[in-house]
Amino acid sequence: MTRFCVCLSPTTGRARTEIEAMTGADPVTVEGAEGFALGLLRDEPGRAEGPFTADGVTAAGEVTLHNRAELVAALRASGAVVPEGCRDGEVLLRCWSRLGEAGVARAEGMFVLVVPDRAGLVLIRDQVGARTLFYARARGSWAASTSLRALRRWPALGTSMNLAAVRSFLTFAYLPGEETLLTGVREVLPGRVVRLAADGSVTRSVYWEPRERVARPVPEDPAEYVATLRSLLERATADRLPAAEPAAVLLSGGIDSSLVTALAARLHDRPVRTYSISFGDGLPNELGYSGLVAAHCRTRHRVLSVTGTTVASRLADAAALLDSPVGDPLTVPNLLLAEAVAADGATCVLNGEGGDPVFGGPKNLPMLVQEMHRVPGAPWDEDRATAYLRSYRKCWTDLPDLLTSGALEALRDAPLPQRFVAPYLGGGAEDPYRMGHLLNRLLHCNLRTKGAHHILTKVERLTASQGIEGRSPLFDRRVIDHAFATPPEFKLRGTAEKWILKEAVRDLLPATVVDRPKSGMRVPVQQWLAGPLRELGHDLLLSRRAAARGLFRRDTVRTWMRGEGTLLPRQGGKLWLVLTLELWLRSYAL
């Protein structure tokens, strides 16, 4: 279990020196690849392999394929020789070397791949962003890594805190695009091939992006769409089930995790174990529903109790595991779930992530209502991208009071956060991101921002820390393609959200689960901040170290910590973002 780092320099000796500085390990060089070196980071959990060679082409990567058999069959049909038992990375490399971007687009899985060639380095990331890859340039060399921490250690780069990314994090509670919190370091976007040339130039191409392919007029009978979705869900789940071991599923009690549980129980030939979280009695939760689903599907069910004291003791550890901070109070509970799954001997765990950004959950309703009542040109009118940021209800509107005058001045001419969502929400008729229906635009935006940069990266990093893989059937590329070929009227039908998803699995679950409105789990953030986390928050956020960074106004932080001002009832969530960011910055010595 490890991550990897590669370097392309003017000479192989220089590349070896840079890799040693970043990884602390002996570099590996590749015959015929002048100026290229590879290093493995043994202290960081991941799935790195390399260098490996196929068809005379060498690569390194972290690759798990869910449709391996299909790819092998396609390669052999093209005349390729694919040895039995070869690694997934070698299969994907053959897809690239023989079929190019079209070959990679056929792959379904969790992968990043780095291929040195005569022109430089080729970086490839999977379609939805299940694994992450970063790159930077310094003193004539390129470096790419699945570890942001490795690039932080690169002396030639001399990176520091990226203030514009700080603002983005406080706006979204994650980083929604290419930027990272390290200056000079970029993230490869999902579904992209990035070519880094020896002369320093960068070329990006899109090999997969969701497209709106909705037939008009809308058929009166949705039966064909429902049946196709059911088939795809079964295939996506079956492809992600482990071989010859019990299946593990994170079961919240919502429709998304419940349908994955039901499909796993029907399709797997081994027992299914399910895991839920409890924050204690007296708080709104979905334990009644998760217990009902577990009993209905006859799973071996386990409920983990998570206390504020445990969260306080593990929050710094969880923050340090992430390449970018995620202001989600479920981060520590998710880590505890991963530990429990690993302790039971599983190698992977399925989840229900993806239902909302793919099929239309309740987070879209504020934007739909805003569009209904919008009066273009009115004094109170906002463009769609700005309204989208406001709907997040994070710290975006509080930045003038939260950030110091020095930070605000430094950000005065920086690109605005709206740039991350505007291409999906508007665009001209020829814009490759443009979709016709507003709901599809919102879903596309959610998929490419929160899906790739919050949900999937959090799942991957936390599960990998325990030596297991978190797998998300609802983020299956084929399921996504079908969702954007489905009329929006079948996703949001009247007041029923994710209608087609519910209809596709109605026979698998009790009607009580399928038809109930989404309630969600109440995470007692404010109780934690007023109790077990109060001292930690005070020590961190009002410390000299935090003040020296010059980011936050101490008077505002004190007001939030006392629960005063105009922030109620959401000051807990906003203070959580600030605390999460401080812990992450400390873990990276920024």
Side-chain angles (χ1 to χ4, degrees), residues 149 152 545 584-590:
R149 200 176 296 274
R152 168 66 173 148
R545 185 174 178 180
W584 190 92
L585 291 172
R586 290 186 179 219
S587 77
Y588 275 72
L590 290 168

Side-chain angles (χ1 to χ4, degrees), residues 21 54 80 109 131 133 171 192 214 248 260 269 274 289 318-319 325 344 353 363 380 383 445 461 478 529 539 545 558:
R131 292 210 165 109
L133 183 61
T171 299
R192 272 40 174 190
V214 179
V260 172
D269 58 359
T274 49
Y289 293 106
D344 286 340
E353 302 286 9
K363 297 295 176 64
W380 61 86
D383 63 90
C445 187
R461 290 309 195 228
R478 298 158 297 193
L529 290 169
D539 291 346
R545 185 174 178 180
R558 284 196 182 95

Side-chain angles (χ1 to χ4, degrees), residues 63-412:
V63 181
T64 300
L65 296 176
H66 300 319
N67 66 336
R68 176 191 170 97
E70 173 189 332
L71 296 177
V72 169
L75 286 169
R76 288 175 174 165
S78 72
V81 176
V82 184
E84 295 291 340
C86 70
R87 292 174 290 189
D88 281 0
E90 295 174 37
V91 174
L92 185 63
L93 180 57
R94 283 184 168 84
C95 289
W96 167 253
S97 65
R98 297 187 69 89
L99 305 173
E101 293 185 5
V104 175
R106 296 184 65 168
E108 178 62 43
M110 310 160 61
F111 57 83
V112 293
L113 196 68
V114 177
V115 185
D117 63 16
R118 293 180 180 178
L121 288 178
V122 178
L123 314 182
I124 304 169
R125 187 178 179 189
D126 65 70
Q127 294 94 328
V128 296
R131 292 210 165 109
T132 48
L133 183 61
F134 308 95
Y135 64 96
R137 183 169 176 82
R139 294 194 309 187
S141 296
W142 283 111
S145 180
T146 49
S147 165
L148 190 70
R149 200 176 296 274
L151 297 176
R152 168 66 173 148
R153 292 193 292 259
W154 191 12
L157 184 61
T159 189
S160 58
M161 182 182 69
N162 181 357
L163 185 58
V166 169
R167 180 173 63 181
S168 296
F169 171 74
L170 295 171
T171 299
F172 292 91
Y174 58 90
L175 296 182
E178 285 186 307
E179 70 177 352
T180 72
L181 273 162
L182 301 183
T183 55
V185 181
R186 311 293 286 178
E187 179 179 334
V188 178
L189 294 179
R192 272 40 174 190
V193 174
V194 176
R195 293 172 172 85
L196 308 177
D199 64 4
S201 61
V202 181
T203 305
R204 300 173 180 87
S205 59
V206 179
Y207 73 85
W208 181 85
E209 188 68 31
R211 292 287 186 266
E212 186 180 55
R213 296 184 173 92
V214 179
R216 295 296 181 187
V218 177
E220 292 185 8
D221 186 357
E224 183 177 346
Y225 288 94
V226 172
T228 300
L229 177 57
R230 172 59 173 270
S231 176
L232 290 171
L233 291 172
E234 290 180 352
R235 182 180 179 184
T237 303
D239 285 348
R240 287 162 175 79
L241 288 170
E245 70 175 62
V249 184
L250 303 184
L251 174 60
S252 69
I255 183 62
D256 304 331
S257 62
S258 296
L259 74 88
V260 172
T261 299
L263 287 170
R266 171 170 289 201
L267 299 171
H268 203 38
D269 58 359
R270 300 295 177 96
V272 175
R273 298 181 177 130
T274 49
Y275 301 80
S276 298
I277 296 173
S278 169
F279 294 119
D281 299 332
L283 291 169
N285 61 66
E286 298 183 313
L287 292 176
Y289 293 106
S290 61
L292 176 63
V293 172
H296 179 78
C297 298
R298 299 181 180 180
T299 70
R300 300 177 183 178
H301 192 52
R302 180 177 173 185
V303 178
L304 276 69
S305 295
V306 178
T307 67
T309 301
T310 301
V311 171
S313 67
R314 299 297 303 278
L315 188 56
D317 295 337
L321 289 171
L322 302 173
D323 286 299
S324 295
V326 173
D328 182 349
L330 284 173
T331 301
V332 170
N334 290 156
L335 176 59
L336 298 176
L337 284 169
E339 291 175 348
V341 171
D344 286 340
T347 61
C348 66
V349 58
L350 276 64
N351 59 63
E353 302 286 9
D356 285 354
V358 175
F359 289 98
K363 297 295 176 64
N364 300 291
L365 294 181
M367 284 296 296
L368 294 173
V369 171
Q370 189 265 355
E371 197 74 14
M372 288 172 56
H373 296 283
R374 186 180 181 191
V375 182
W380 61 86
D381 185 44
E382 291 181 323
D383 63 90
R384 192 175 286 161
T386 300
Y388 187 90
L389 299 190
R390 189 182 300 278
S391 74
Y392 260 74
R393 301 178 69 190
K394 304 302 180 186
C395 291
W396 183 65
T397 57
D398 306 295
L399 293 177
D401 297 319
L402 176 60
L403 296 180
T404 64
S405 58
L408 291 171
E409 177 60 25
L411 287 167
R412 186 164 57 89

Side-chain angles (χ1 to χ4, degrees), residues 374-495:
R374 186 180 181 191
V375 182
W380 61 86
D381 185 44
E382 291 181 323
D383 63 90
R384 192 175 286 161
T386 300
Y388 187 90
L389 299 190
R390 189 182 300 278
S391 74
Y392 260 74
R393 301 178 69 190
K394 304 302 180 186
C395 291
W396 183 65
T397 57
D398 306 295
L399 293 177
D401 297 319
L402 176 60
L403 296 180
T404 64
S405 58
L408 291 171
E409 177 60 25
L411 287 167
R412 186 164 57 89
D413 297 324
L416 295 174
Q418 285 91 329
R419 72 188 188 277
F420 295 113
V421 300
Y424 303 103
L425 299 177
E430 302 303 318
D431 194 312
Y433 296 112
R434 181 179 175 84
M435 294 193 177
H437 197 283
L438 177 59
L439 179 61
N440 281 342
R441 294 186 188 185
L442 292 170
L443 296 182
H444 191 195
C445 187
N446 294 342
L447 176 72
R448 281 324 206 183
T449 56
K450 187 173 183 178
H453 300 285
H454 171 180
I455 298 173
L456 286 167
T457 186
K458 181 186 71 169
V459 167
E460 198 278 333
R461 290 309 195 228
L462 295 179
T463 54
S465 74
Q466 304 306 308
I468 58 177
E469 286 186 341
R471 300 178 178 178
S472 308
L474 295 180
F475 274 117
D476 184 281
R477 179 252 312 166
R478 298 158 297 193
V479 171
I480 295 171
D481 282 337
H482 181 66
F484 284 103
T486 298
E489 296 87 340
F490 296 161
K491 286 178 279 193
L492 181 60
R493 196 166 178 85
T495 59

